[in-house]
Amino acid sequence: MTRKRSVFFPRVRRLLKYVKTRTYRLLTLPLLLAMFLGTAILPPTFAYMTAENTIVQSIPDTQEIDRQARKLYEAERFSESASLWEQATTDFKASGDGLQAAMTLSNLSLAYQQLGQWTEASQAITQSLNLLQTGQNLGTSKERSLLLAQALDVQGRLQLALSKSQEALTTWQQAANIYAQVGDTLGVTRSRVNQAQALQALGLYRLAQQTLTETTQLLENQPDSLLKVTGLRSLGNVLRVVGDLEQSRQILQESKEVATRVQSPQAISDALLSLGNTARAQQDTQVALEFYKQAAIASVSPATLIQSQMNQLSLLLENEQLSAAYTLLPQIQSEISNLPASRIAVYARINFAQSLMKLGTGRLRDSGSNGQRTTDIAQLLATAVQQSKSLKDQRAESYVLGTLGGLYEQTRQLSNAFDLTQQALLLAQSIDAPDIVYQWQWQLGRLLKAQGNIQQAIAAYTEAFNTLKSLRRDLVAINPEVQFSFRESVEPVYRQLVDLLLQPVGTSEPSQNNFIKAREVIEALQLAELDNFLREACLQATVEIDKVVDQENSTAVIYPIILPDRLEVILKVSQQKNLYHYSTPVAESQAESVLKELRQQLIEPDATEEVKSLSQQVYNWLIEPAMTNLAQSNVKELVFVLDGSLRNIPMAALYDGKQYLVENYSVALTPGLHLIDPKPLKQRQLKAIVAGVSEPRSGFSALPNVKRELEEIQSEVSSKVLLNQEFTSTALQDRVNSLPFPVVHLATHGQFSSQASKTFIVAWDKRIYVNELNNLLRTRDQSQPNNAIELLVLSACQTAAGDNRAALGIAGVAVRAGARSTLASLWNVDDESTALLMSQFYRELTNNQALPKAEALRHAQLALLKNPQFQRPMFWAPYILLGNWL
């Protein structure tokens, strides 16, 4: 393409000239793409990086110069404190006082770390450790050991800052051992708090949670201290990562209260910042903003002040509160300009630039100031590049170059954007940081697409997809302090690749290989969504769905894919080698609007005609183009792998103008192209563990017909019943472990949400959240692997109101429970009709041993449909079967 002259200022042009002189600019695009594979965690951006500051060691001071340096350090005048410690080190060495010299070198390393002078920090701590290991005049053995442990604390902090997380963990473990040997229990505790930080950096959040829980229990009976504040705050942050948001908020509030009692403004500010992050994760926007504002006011640290302001800004932009965002811009710009060169300053500029770039796109666009804003962003990033180079921080340099490439992409200077993106990729590869590699691979794909080079764009997107796929387990270990959104930073990679794969080539259809690849990409997206929901890569599929379908003679699998300008459908029919494909030109916004309205009307008692009209539109998108194929193939079962908001719609309620889909087909859902060991339900004598709550509990109303429901199930199958007070979480676990029954039926209130922290079922003693189900229902899998739950039934549950991805919670519950099939409801319906449907469902399974579960559900739904009292879709439609339909 024709290279345009940059409109940016000379410093940026000089930067471009510099990156073009690097030897790796000669590599071709295919070679570049072949290089960028690997695994790592996602990149930190500055907005969410909450510093868990290591506590500076409290060694007795003997010289006034050292005391002055400490005061300057505590006042965050790090450069001045470093100068004094440099002088003190020289004096102590000259006087032969090895103990004081080692101590001062250790503190000097801390000051250098705060300044981002990593080489000097490394040299100082190395000298300190060498003195302690080989020097003379180092006091008593206990004094020497104590100082060695404290020096190791400082070395661990440096290693963590340099992304050497495993080395930091080992170093802090060594320090803890030494503290234990000299009987310093607080030192041991401090090292364990530090170890938890390293574990988080390694993605081992559950282990970090365990470590911090044990540590805070030890601190519980100790006097209030900054160490207790830090331990509680660290635990609260980890709990946020693993999805326990309510507990995170409680622990962080306790951290703030302790910080208030010890009268530490900075500790109060840090706790408020973390509380803001948790409130944000809970989607409690106004509370989060208030916490961020309070954190900024309380802060005595420029770093925490900037973090608080940046988090405010990103949240304001996210919620389109532009007036407040514009008010904040000059304050942030002023604070950033006053920061000394450091990693904090670099990431502050990157994050601020990203927020400013959002103001130039989409609904946030402000055309009147875009030109000046572009120049401001470029200046921010040019300064960040210079600082990252001076700090020798290649990770930050890659991030800056890639962000600058994104700015050029936004301003349509594609050639410059391409150059910068390549350089960012190569830097990330050179330091083995594929956690940011996929972002630049994705950016490269967008640039190639914009240039019209579709095949190379597909190649670039495929590399980004492969990198994300290899990162599957690490994606769920994302640091929550990062300004990260799955829907913004991961999901588009998958959808944009599918868009390219399914685009027609001239007048020809995409190839079969493209159809197969598109299905694979969408399944990977489904799995990534579940992983992100559960905060753990736990879905271990065993059998390809195509093999199961081809063993049946009457099954078809439908894969709808929502894209910005159209709705694509890929169809797999049993015994047919080729995939079938059709597309409907409907805008995503229109599709979402129809689906949202249909979902609302389905639960209205007098909206039958509206439901028929809207559901017929969806039928025409998903089913009607395939009707000839389905009829010729004598298809009787339809299995859907649903995308996005389609998961909130019961497919059984789709209407062809005369009949509902359930009147002609049995219907099931599956979260992907694989099933967990699919087998027909072992009939013989069907046995079930049945539990329910009929009385008001956990803020929910009574379910008077639950007792009837359980009695009718008991009349159809051999059952062990837990009702009301008997239905506790412990009692359920005991029954599941002791009775290898294939069916578990829970008739109680519950909620499915796109957030694990809001997905639960109600037992008598408490709400059982989705992540608890793994321990509650899957324990017997370990000792009795052949006795896994065949069918989990969740009666009277509902999807969370206003959450257009709430049905994701059903898949999450199914995965956590380890059930091969899960029957659940999308909304809470009349419990009399529920009792009738469930009774009929079990009757069908008992009376016809060859009947698949999906067909048994269909018969039960038809029984309600034919009942004048319950024939409206709101009564029979919400029940969906997820997983194995056999």
Side-chain angles (χ1 to χ4, degrees):
M1 62 172 285
T2 303
R3 191 179 294 263
K4 295 182 180 179
R5 180 176 176 82
S6 171
V7 299
F8 296 160
F9 54 96
R11 190 190 305 181
V12 179
R13 289 199 293 273
R14 289 196 298 272
L15 170 63
L16 282 171
K17 182 178 179 181
Y18 165 78
V19 297
K20 291 174 186 174
T21 62
R22 303 296 290 266
T23 56
Y24 44 64
R25 70 183 173 88
L26 300 175
L27 293 173
T28 62
L29 176 62
L31 182 55
L32 286 171
L33 295 178
M35 293 171 59
F36 304 128
L37 294 172
T39 60
I41 58 173
L42 287 173
T45 59
F46 186 83
Y48 278 108
M49 288 176 60
T50 304
E52 301 292 344
N53 294 325
T54 304
I55 299 171
V56 180
Q57 63 263 34
S58 54
I59 304 173
D61 300 323
T62 58
Q63 300 292 336
E64 180 62 29
I65 189 171
D66 190 32
R67 282 195 288 270
Q68 291 176 5
R70 287 174 181 274
K71 290 180 179 179
L72 290 168
Y73 183 96
E74 292 168 357
E76 299 193 357
R77 294 163 64 178
F78 302 120
S79 181
E80 295 169 73
S81 68
S83 296
L84 288 179
W85 270 322
E86 287 170 354
Q87 180 183 342
T89 299
T90 302
D91 293 344
F92 287 138
K93 284 182 177 180
S95 66
D97 192 338
L99 188 70
Q100 288 288 349
M103 178 200 69
T104 308
L105 282 164
S106 184
N107 287 335
L108 178 59
S109 178
L110 284 173
Y112 284 142
Q113 289 177 45
Q114 294 287 0
L115 293 168
Q117 296 178 16
W118 307 114
T119 300
E120 293 83 353
S122 180
Q123 291 171 349
I125 196 60
T126 299
Q127 290 181 48
S128 177
L129 290 169
N130 287 341
L131 273 174
L132 290 168
Q133 292 164 359
T134 63
Q136 303 297 318
N137 300 323
L138 292 173
T140 67
S141 174
K142 183 174 181 179
E143 289 174 334
R144 181 173 179 170
S145 295
L146 183 61
L147 185 53
L148 176 60
Q150 292 167 337
L152 287 170
D153 276 347
V154 176
Q155 185 184 46
R157 174 176 176 150
L158 175 62
Q159 289 165 334
L160 189 65
L162 295 175
S163 300
K164 299 177 180 178
S165 306
Q166 185 59 59
E167 294 179 28
L169 177 60
T170 301
T171 298
W172 279 325
Q173 288 171 338
Q174 292 172 353
N177 290 336
I178 296 173
Y179 282 127
Q181 290 170 9
V182 299
D184 186 343
T185 56
L186 288 180
V188 172
T189 303
R190 182 172 64 244
S191 290
R192 287 177 62 82
V193 172
N194 289 339
Q195 288 172 44
Q197 295 179 52
L199 290 168
Q200 292 176 66
L202 290 167
L204 303 173
Y205 287 103
R206 300 288 178 183
L207 188 53
Q209 179 187 359
Q210 178 183 341
T211 300
L212 288 167
T213 299
E214 294 170 353
T215 303
T216 53
Q217 287 172 350
L218 291 174
L219 286 169
E220 188 173 354
N221 297 322
Q222 297 293 325
D224 290 339
S225 65
L226 285 175
L227 181 57
K228 181 182 284 191
V229 173
T230 303
L232 288 168
R233 187 172 70 250
S234 297
L235 177 58
N237 289 337
V238 171
L239 288 167
R240 179 170 63 251
V241 184
V242 300
D244 194 346
L245 301 183
E246 289 297 331
Q247 185 70 7
S248 168
R249 197 156 173 174
Q250 292 176 18
I251 294 294
L252 290 172
Q253 184 63 38
E254 186 178 348
S255 173
K256 174 180 171 292
E257 291 169 0
V258 177
T260 301
R261 290 198 293 270
V262 299
Q263 299 181 342
S264 172
Q266 186 54 49
I268 294 171
S269 178
D270 289 339
L272 287 166
L273 180 58
S274 290
L275 279 164
N277 292 340
T278 294
R280 184 174 187 171
Q282 293 175 308
Q283 300 181 349
D284 198 346
T285 301
Q286 292 308 313
V287 171
L289 287 172
E290 186 58 34
F291 277 134
Y292 290 148
K293 291 176 183 176
Q294 292 177 22
I297 294 170
S299 176
V300 295
S301 161
T304 309
L305 174 60
I306 283 289
Q307 291 173 52
S308 303
Q309 291 177 331
M310 289 302 308
N311 287 5
Q312 283 185 64
L313 178 61
S314 64
L315 189 53
L316 289 168
L317 293 178
E318 184 180 303
N319 289 274
E320 299 185 23
Q321 298 182 32
L322 298 188
S323 177
Y326 280 118
T327 301
L328 203 55
L329 291 180
Q331 300 176 37
I332 295 175
Q333 196 158 16
S334 174
E335 293 293 338
I336 287 178
S337 63
N338 292 328
L339 288 175
S342 64
R343 172 173 285 189
I344 288 175
V346 172
Y347 282 115
R349 285 179 167 84
I350 295 171
N351 190 265
F352 192 42
Q354 289 174 334
S355 292
L356 290 174
M357 287 167 66
K358 288 184 179 180
L359 284 171
T361 59
R363 288 176 294 180
L364 300 181
R365 183 181 297 277
D366 179 358
S367 57
S369 57
N370 272 352
Q372 182 59 47
R373 184 175 298 119
T374 298
T375 301
D376 292 342
I377 296 170
Q379 289 174 338
L380 277 168
L381 293 174
T383 301
V385 169
Q386 290 180 346
Q387 290 186 350
S388 64
K389 289 182 185 298
S390 68
L391 296 170
K392 297 181 176 60
D393 190 337
Q394 290 181 302
R395 185 180 182 87
E397 184 182 351
S398 171
Y399 211 51
V400 179
L401 291 173
T403 304
L404 186 56
L407 179 63
Y408 278 109
E409 177 191 12
Q410 187 172 305
T411 57
R412 305 296 297 173
Q413 298 181 73
L414 301 184
S415 180
N416 289 337
F418 192 88
D419 286 343
L420 284 166
T421 304
Q422 283 186 314
Q423 307 313 317
L425 270 168
L426 288 164
L427 269 177
Q429 173 64 18
S430 71
I431 59 171
D432 191 27
D435 49 323
I436 55 175
V437 160
Y438 93 86
Q439 296 186 52
W440 310 144
Q441 290 169 330
W442 173 28
Q443 189 161 290
L444 202 62
R446 297 197 306 269
L447 293 167
L448 288 163
K449 179 184 177 182
Q451 293 172 340
N453 194 337
I454 301 302
Q455 290 308 308
Q456 287 198 29
I458 289 176
Y461 268 102
T462 300
E463 292 299 332
F465 164 72
N466 288 337
T467 302
L468 280 172
K469 195 173 180 180
S470 71
L471 290 174
R472 178 187 169 199
R473 291 192 176 276
D474 292 312
L475 276 176
V476 299
I478 295 161
N479 187 336
E481 317 307 340
V482 172
Q483 185 178 344
F484 170 84
S485 165
F486 180 88
R487 296 196 66 180
E488 290 182 3
S489 303
V490 174
E491 184 175 338
V493 180
Y494 296 86
R495 293 197 181 279
Q496 290 166 18
L497 175 54
V498 170
D499 192 352
L500 289 172
L501 289 168
L502 296 182
Q503 284 185 6
V505 182
T507 57
S508 302
E509 276 271 290
S511 68
Q512 281 291 313
N513 285 338
N514 278 20
F515 294 153
I516 293 170
K517 183 67 176 178
R519 281 202 316 169
E520 178 189 345
V521 172
I522 284 299
E523 181 194 31
L525 173 59
Q526 302 270 15
L527 293 179
E529 284 183 304
L530 271 175
D531 292 344
N532 188 60
F533 170 81
L534 295 169
R535 310 303 298 169
E536 184 177 350
C538 61
L539 182 59
Q540 303 300 324
T542 58
V543 180
E544 292 182 11
I545 195 172
D546 284 2
K547 293 181 179 179
V548 180
V549 171
D550 284 335
Q551 290 173 0
E552 305 292 315
N553 294 320
S554 58
T555 304
V557 185
I558 298 174
Y559 308 83
I561 304 166
I562 300 173
L563 296 174
D565 61 344
R566 64 195 190 279
L567 196 152
E568 297 273 8
V569 179
I570 297 175
L571 176 69
K572 163 65 180 175
V573 178
S574 58
Q575 308 299 322
Q576 292 185 12
K577 180 179 179 180
N578 287 340
L579 298 173
Y580 185 55
H581 163 256
Y582 45 95
S583 178
T584 302
V586 55
E588 180 181 9
S589 57
Q590 180 186 350
E592 293 287 348
S593 176
V594 170
L595 294 172
K596 181 179 180 181
E597 186 177 357
L598 173 57
R599 178 64 175 78
Q600 292 172 341
Q601 295 296 338
L602 277 166
I603 59 176
E604 293 295 330
D606 300 317
T608 302
E609 293 306 314
E610 291 86 347
V611 167
K612 287 182 177 180
S613 175
L614 291 166
S615 64
Q616 188 170 359
Q617 288 188 55
V618 182
Y619 176 92
N620 290 339
W621 296 341
L622 302 186
I623 309 298
E624 196 278 331
M627 277 307 302
T628 300
N629 193 331
L630 297 177
Q632 291 175 348
S633 303
N634 196 29
V635 168
K636 296 179 181 178
E637 298 94 23
L638 296 179
V639 180
F640 291 86
V641 184
L642 294 176
D643 184 32
S645 296
L646 284 166
R647 285 178 290 208
N648 289 331
I649 305 300
M651 294 293 105
L654 299 188
Y655 191 69
D656 66 3
K658 296 181 180 179
Q659 292 180 305
Y660 293 105
L661 198 65
V662 73
E663 296 182 74
N664 296 302
Y665 301 95
S666 58
V667 177
L669 308 180
T670 179
L673 301 177
H674 295 75
L675 294 174
I676 302 174
D677 192 18
K679 298 176 182 177
L681 191 61
K682 296 178 181 178
Q683 299 296 331
R684 294 190 296 271
Q685 183 182 7
L686 198 61
K687 296 182 178 181
I689 296 170
V690 182
V693 174
S694 63
E695 298 180 12
R697 213 68 188 160
S698 292
F700 289 93
S701 60
L703 293 170
N705 279 290
V706 159
K707 186 175 181 181
R708 174 188 170 187
E709 178 180 339
L710 301 192
E711 290 172 349
E712 294 195 4
I713 293 171
Q714 209 172 8
S715 70
E716 300 293 342
V717 299
S718 176
S719 306
K720 296 296 182 182
V721 177
L722 299 171
L723 179 63
N724 292 332
Q725 291 93 333
E726 297 174 332
F727 176 20
T728 65
S729 55
T730 302
L732 178 61
Q733 184 174 28
D734 290 343
R735 285 289 173 91
V736 169
N737 291 336
S738 61
L739 300 173
F741 289 1
V743 178
V744 175
H745 183 109
L746 305 178
T748 180
H749 281 295
Q751 178 175 276
F752 305 114
S753 167
S754 61
Q755 298 180 60
S757 61
K758 296 181 180 179
T759 299
F760 58 86
I761 58 175
V762 175
W764 184 262
D765 57 332
K766 66 175 186 176
R767 295 181 177 184
I768 302 173
Y769 287 88
V770 59
N771 283 323
E772 295 180 64
L773 291 174
N774 190 52
N775 295 326
L776 195 67
L777 299 179
R778 299 192 69 165
T779 307
R780 79 180 185 194
D781 290 1
Q782 300 170 9
S783 58
Q784 308 172 61
N786 294 324
N787 290 321
I789 296 172
E790 297 283 353
L791 174 64
L792 172 66
V793 180
L794 301 171
S795 173
C797 296
Q798 62 186 341
T799 51
D803 185 346
N804 65 357
R805 294 198 168 197
L808 183 65
I810 299 178
V813 167
V815 169
R816 270 302 190 197
R820 293 191 174 103
S821 307
T822 299
L823 175 59
S825 57
L826 290 171
W827 58 84
N828 190 2
V829 297
D830 176 87
D831 66 329
E832 181 182 356
S833 64
T834 298
L836 291 174
L837 181 136
M838 291 300 171
S839 175
Q840 183 67 34
F841 173 67
Y842 285 107
R843 188 176 302 118
E844 296 288 339
L845 289 176
T846 303
N847 294 341
N848 188 345
Q849 295 190 5
L851 197 66
K853 293 188 285 291
E855 185 67 8
L857 174 60
R858 174 174 176 263
H859 288 181
Q861 289 176 306
L862 290 176
L864 285 186
L865 179 58
K866 294 173 183 178
N867 185 328
Q869 186 178 352
F870 302 118
Q871 64 184 193
R872 287 170 295 190
M874 67 170 291
F875 292 110
W876 54 262
Y879 304 97
I880 60 172
L881 183 69
L882 182 73
N884 172 27
W885 63 90
L886 301 179

